[in-house]
Amino acid sequence: MDKSYCRDVDGQEVEDVLSITPSGVNVQTDQTVYCTLYFENSEARMLIYDPIKSGTQCTTVQCALDELYKILY
């Protein structure tokens, strides 16, 4: 949240309009604002191997993980 921000129509930063809720980010204000939200991938909760894919043509570990596994966040 410290990298996310909102600005009004004049380009002035507007404070305290962003909040985190269980379902995501909430923007609450009575004026027109333009927000920039910064996201990072969260830690994976589960890594599931796809047994249908028995091999890979990848040459890097990350490529093979992306191809053979499904990551749930």
Side-chain angles (χ1 to χ4, degrees):
M1 288 296 290
D2 58 323
K3 294 182 181 180
S4 299
Y5 59 89
C6 294
R7 297 189 185 277
D8 64 16
V9 294
D10 297 320
Q12 300 298 312
E13 191 162 341
V14 180
E15 300 288 333
D16 301 322
V17 296
L18 296 175
S19 60
I20 297 176
T21 66
S23 61
V25 176
N26 184 48
V27 179
Q28 186 170 356
T29 181
D30 60 350
Q31 59 183 319
T32 300
V33 293
Y34 303 92
C35 299
T36 299
L37 302 177
Y38 179 81
F39 292 93
E40 289 183 1
N41 285 335
S42 60
E43 293 291 323
R45 292 186 192 163
M46 188 179 300
L47 187 64
I48 301 172
Y49 177 70
D50 186 349
I52 295 173
K53 297 179 181 177
S54 60
T56 180
Q57 299 297 318
C58 291
T59 58
T60 66
V61 172
Q62 186 61 54
C63 176
L65 287 173
D66 292 342
E67 186 175 314
L68 298 174
Y69 290 85
K70 180 176 182 181
I71 300 172
L72 301 177
Y73 294 99

